[in-house]
Amino acid sequence: MSTAEVSGVEPHTGGATTPDSAPTLRMTRMLDLEQLEVELFRGFGVERSPMRVFGGVVAAQSLVAAGRTVPAGRLVHSLHAYFLRPGDPSVPIVYRVDPIRDGGSFTTRRVTAQQHGEAIFTLSASFHTPEDGFTHQLPRLDAPSPEDLPVTPGSMDDADELSRRWYSTLPERHPFEFRFDGELPRLATGRGERVAPRQRFWLRSREPLPDDPLLHRCAATYASDMLLLSSSLGLHGTTLDSRDLQFASLDHAVWFHGPFRADEWLYYDQEGTWAGGGRALCRGRMFNRAGALVVSVVQEGLIRQRPRVE
């Protein structure tokens, strides 16, 4: 039974609504890996960037590969990953799964993503047979509903040209639609202001997804990397696309707390909790419409300043 049937909420019927541009990425295509051998998979490029593959793509596809080797009935509850090298968007990525352990109730898998004979990403994931236990969560969700937020933030009307271009290309870069809760820090940066390192928004897949819980957790893994590192920059008056900033995700951890659908609205609360030594630590929490905390995220990234070349 799908989580939509459990909750009584029907998934949406798809269609991009933000910004006004035709969607170019499909979640189902991205998560459809070719199986080469029992523990060997291949993912095909879905990127339009000439520079590097978005980290969320590699993380999501790695989790697909791991999940396809796990006994039925076990759901991923955590993953820990390291970004080693930039991915080349012009060639496929090969995912090699190492079956570390199959225990009585937990399964562990390690995945290495490779291109050009080198490892570009590693992931360790733990899967667990669902069981009953103590329950509580802190904090509770405190947010407007996505229907109460504009499709296009009004603040974009007065945004700088770089921010407007960044926003207009969101559908080309990510297979999600968004509802932003409040002004994004990058807009304040465009006005020369410094603000708290926090940003919040609703998100959901632009297309309906199959009922397979693994695919929804893989989609959330992709989403967990979206905009997260940028949440650390509001205090520092810069953005990730600044010419004097070098950035990269270094390591990434995700914990899954309960059932959800990635084609229904999830609220992503992001915060840059620390920065120093050329690195930043960011955390995120995803809530479903009912206010349940369903995903927790922590990421450390490189944010290195470098001399501006005019």
Side-chain angles (χ1 to χ4, degrees), residues 15-245:
T17 57
T18 175
D20 293 332
S21 174
T24 59
L25 297 182
R26 294 191 62 195
M27 182 66 66
T28 51
R29 179 189 172 202
M30 182 194 69
L31 299 180
D32 185 19
L33 302 189
E34 178 187 8
Q35 186 161 5
L36 304 177
E37 285 289 347
V38 175
E39 294 157 354
L40 194 65
F41 299 82
R42 179 165 58 189
F44 293 91
V46 295
E47 296 287 304
R48 295 184 63 185
S49 168
M51 298 177 60
R52 59 186 179 186
V53 177
F54 173 60
V57 170
V58 188
Q61 291 186 343
S62 294
L63 185 56
V64 171
R68 293 297 182 234
T69 71
V70 171
R74 297 193 178 186
L75 300 177
V76 61
H77 70 89
S78 69
L79 63 87
H80 301 262
Y82 283 92
F83 296 89
L84 305 177
R85 295 179 176 87
D88 180 350
S90 68
V91 299
I93 304 172
V94 174
Y95 298 92
R96 188 177 302 276
V97 182
D98 187 0
I100 301 297
R101 178 178 182 268
D102 288 297
S105 57
F106 286 90
T107 290
T108 305
R109 294 291 185 263
R110 182 170 57 220
V111 181
T112 302
Q114 296 177 305
Q115 283 184 321
H116 305 299
E118 295 184 316
I120 66 169
F121 178 85
T122 64
L123 174 144
S124 294
S126 181
F127 298 76
H128 179 218
T129 302
E131 58 184 273
D132 294 330
F134 299 114
T135 60
H136 79 271
Q137 75 171 58
L138 290 174
R140 306 298 300 180
L141 175 63
D142 181 17
S145 69
E147 292 80 11
D148 292 335
L149 296 173
V151 173
T152 301
S155 54
M156 294 304 302
D157 296 338
D158 301 319
D160 60 286
E161 178 59 29
L162 188 62
S163 294
R164 287 199 299 270
R165 187 163 61 249
W166 169 87
Y167 180 77
S168 69
T169 60
L170 275 177
E172 300 175 9
R173 292 180 283 121
H174 301 299
F176 286 88
E177 54 181 312
F178 304 84
R179 298 288 189 277
F180 291 102
D181 181 8
E183 184 178 66
L184 288 170
R186 68 172 298 128
L187 301 185
T189 297
R191 298 192 299 268
E193 302 172 8
R194 299 179 184 234
V195 295
R198 189 181 189 189
Q199 54 196 16
R200 293 164 288 182
F201 52 93
W202 290 96
L203 63 92
R204 69 176 178 182
S205 168
R206 284 199 301 259
E207 60 173 320
L209 301 177
D211 287 340
D212 183 355
L214 174 65
L215 295 183
H216 290 269
R217 296 186 182 211
C218 292
T221 298
Y222 177 108
S224 69
D225 194 34
M226 293 190 311
L227 313 186
L228 184 57
L229 189 55
S230 67
S231 69
S232 68
L233 298 177
L235 283 173
H236 305 289
T238 188
T239 61
L240 291 183
D241 44 18
S242 173
R243 287 181 296 166
D244 61 354
L245 191 75

